[in-house]
Amino acid sequence: MRKLLAAAAVLGALGVAPLASAHHSFAMFDRTRTATISGTVREFQWTNPHAYIQVTVREGNRDVEYSLEMGAPMYLYARGWRPRTLRPGMQVAVDYNPLRNGSPGGVVLDVRNAQGQPVGTNRE
Amino acid sequence: MMRAAIAVGLLAAAFAVPAPALAEHHDEVDARNEAFAALPYWPGYWVSEDQAGTTITGLAPAATASSGSSFSVNIMSLRGDNAPWNEEGQRRRADVRARAGGRKATGWGYPMMMNSATPLRYLITPEETIIINFYNEARYIYTDGRPMPAEEDMWPTTYGTSIGRWEGDTLVIETVMVEDPSAFFHGSPPFSEEARYVERIRLDGDRLINEVTVTDPVTLTGPWTVTIAHVRDPGFDRQIILPWDNDRTGNEDGLNTIELAPVE
C-alpha cells in the first residue's frame, strides 16, 4: 500500500496523471485547505468535462473573478443541480479547496445561496 | 364513386400479400419476439463501482477514502497500471506521461469509456447491443452472427470494431482495430492497433461485471485481464448530453491549473 501511495504521490505531484473520477489529477488543488468566498455569480458554465462557477468577489477596492471548478454537469444533475440553478447576479457563498498556484480559483465543495441555504443535495 | 372504388380495389391488389407469405412474416415476428424476450435486460445508468456517488466536487467517495488529502489513488483500473507492459509498452507509457501536461481531450474513447465516471446505458436487441455514455460515445456490438469484418475492411478508430455473442446471460464482445487509446485521451493505456479486447459482461445481483482481457503483441508480454464492476448510481433518470468542449485544465510549470480566461 505504501508503494501504491508513493506512486500516486509522484504522479499527483506531476499533476499530469488523470486520477480518480475526474479527467485530471486533483494535485492542482490544496485539499488540506478549505476557503470560503462570497460574491456575485457572473456566469455558471454548465459544460463538460467540468462545470465552472465564475464568481466576482470584491477584494479591497477591486473586483476579482474566481474560477471555481465542479464535477461534470451529469453529476451535478444527479445531486440535484440544474443548468439554471445558478444565474448571473445571484449572491453565493462557496466553500472550496484553493488552487496551489495562488490563482483565484479552486474546486467547489459546497455552495450556499443568499439565504444561507445549501444549493443542491451534493450527496446521493 | 365507381372510379374511387376501382382505385381502392387496385391499391388493395397492389398491396395484397399472399396468405403463406403473411404466415411466414408472422412466424418471423414471433421468433424475434421470443428472441427478444430471452435476452437479458439491463436498464438504468451504470457507473463504475469505484466512481459511484461522485459529488459536485467531482470526486467519488471511494477515491478519497483511501487517499491522503492532496491526491487521489488511481481507481481507473483500465489505465493499465498493473498490466504486463513490455519494453515498447513501458516506453509508450513514459512518452504519454511526459506529454500529458495541459493536453486537451474531447471524450474518453475506448476502452476508457468502460471505466470512467460517465454513466453507460445498454440497449439490447437480438441483432445488436448499443453501449452509449453521456458524451454520446457509442459502441455498436453486432450479435446477429456475422463474423468480424475482413482484414481489407479494417480501419483503426477511437471505438474500434466489435462483434458479440450471447453465452447464456453473458455478453461476450470482441473488439479490434482500436486506435492507440492514449492518442484520444491522455489517461488511456497506449495499446497498439493490433490489440484485441475481449469483454465478458454479465449481471450479478445489482452489479454489472465486465471481465476485460487485452492481448497486444506490440505492448504487452502476455494477456492482461482486469475486472470492472458497474452499479446504478441513484440520481440519474435521463441522459444529460453535452459536448466535452470546455476543457479548462491547463499546465504551468509542470502542475495542472485552471485556465482562468472564462469561456463565453
Side-chain angles (χ1 to χ4, degrees), chain A residues 14-15 21 31 47 71 75 77 108, chain B residues 56-58 69 117 237 246 254 256:
Chain A
L14 288 172
S21 53
R31 302 270 293 150
T47 55
Y75 274 97
Y77 179 91
V108 173
Chain B
I56 61 168
T57 300
S69 53
D237 58 10
N246 188 26
N256 279 354

Side-chain angles (χ1 to χ4, degrees), chain A residues 17-27 29 31 48-50 69-75 79 107, chain B residues 47-65 67 71-77 79 108 112-113 115-119 135 185 233 236 244:
Chain A
L19 305 178
S21 53
H23 91 286
H24 60 64
S25 162
F26 270 64
F29 306 115
R31 302 270 293 150
N48 281 318
H50 295 275
E69 181 178 298
M70 305 180 80
M74 62 192 81
Y75 274 97
R79 308 298 169 236
V107 65
Chain B
V47 183
S48 284
E49 192 168 44
D50 289 339
Q51 320 267 14
T54 292
T55 65
I56 61 168
T57 300
L59 282 173
T64 50
S67 74
F71 61 87
S72 303
V73 296
N74 171 33
I75 55 175
M76 296 174 80
S77 41
R79 273 168 46 99
W108 300 108
M112 201 50 81
M113 65 179 279
N115 193 198
S116 77
T118 308
Y135 291 122
F185 176 65
D233 190 332
F236 296 107
W244 176 322

Side-chain angles (χ1 to χ4, degrees), chain B residues 90-109:
Chain B
Q90 289 170 14
R91 187 196 65 74
R92 288 183 180 212
R93 273 172 57 87
D95 182 51
V96 170
R97 195 171 299 149
R99 292 184 296 107
R103 261 187 69 184
K104 305 295 187 187
T106 55
W108 300 108

Side-chain angles (χ1 to χ4, degrees), chain B residues 59-184:
Chain B
L59 282 173
T64 50
S66 58
S67 74
S69 53
S70 62
F71 61 87
S72 303
V73 296
N74 171 33
I75 55 175
M76 296 174 80
S77 41
L78 264 177
R79 273 168 46 99
D81 289 354
N82 301 315
W85 298 102
N86 63 19
E87 201 172 315
E88 170 63 11
Q90 289 170 14
R91 187 196 65 74
R92 288 183 180 212
R93 273 172 57 87
D95 182 51
V96 170
R97 195 171 299 149
R99 292 184 296 107
R103 261 187 69 184
K104 305 295 187 187
T106 55
W108 300 108
Y110 180 81
M112 201 50 81
M113 65 179 279
M114 302 304 291
N115 193 198
S116 77
T118 308
L120 297 170
R121 297 178 69 202
Y122 289 80
L123 310 175
I124 300 170
T125 72
E127 301 84 11
E128 182 180 11
T129 290
I130 298 175
I131 304 174
I132 188 166
N133 73 7
F134 279 33
Y135 291 122
N136 267 350
E137 294 182 285
R139 302 176 61 200
Y140 302 91
I141 320 297
Y142 297 103
T143 53
D144 55 2
R146 74 180 70 186
M148 190 66 82
E151 189 274 339
E152 67 170 6
D153 196 11
M154 290 292 191
W155 189 263
T157 63
T158 302
Y159 303 98
T161 297
S162 301
I163 58 164
R165 65 180 184 279
W166 287 96
E167 292 183 2
D169 287 342
T170 299
L171 176 60
V172 182
I173 307 172
E174 184 178 348
T175 301
V176 296
M177 290 306 279
V178 180
E179 211 169 15
D180 176 347
S182 71
F184 187 69

Side-chain angles (χ1 to χ4, degrees), chain A residues 37 51-55 66-70 94 96 105-106 108, chain B residues 258:
Chain A
I37 54 159
Y52 292 90
I53 313 173
Q54 299 300 125
V55 181
Y66 281 71
S67 294
L68 298 161
E69 181 178 298
M70 305 180 80
V94 182
Y96 66 104
V108 173
Chain B
I258 298 173

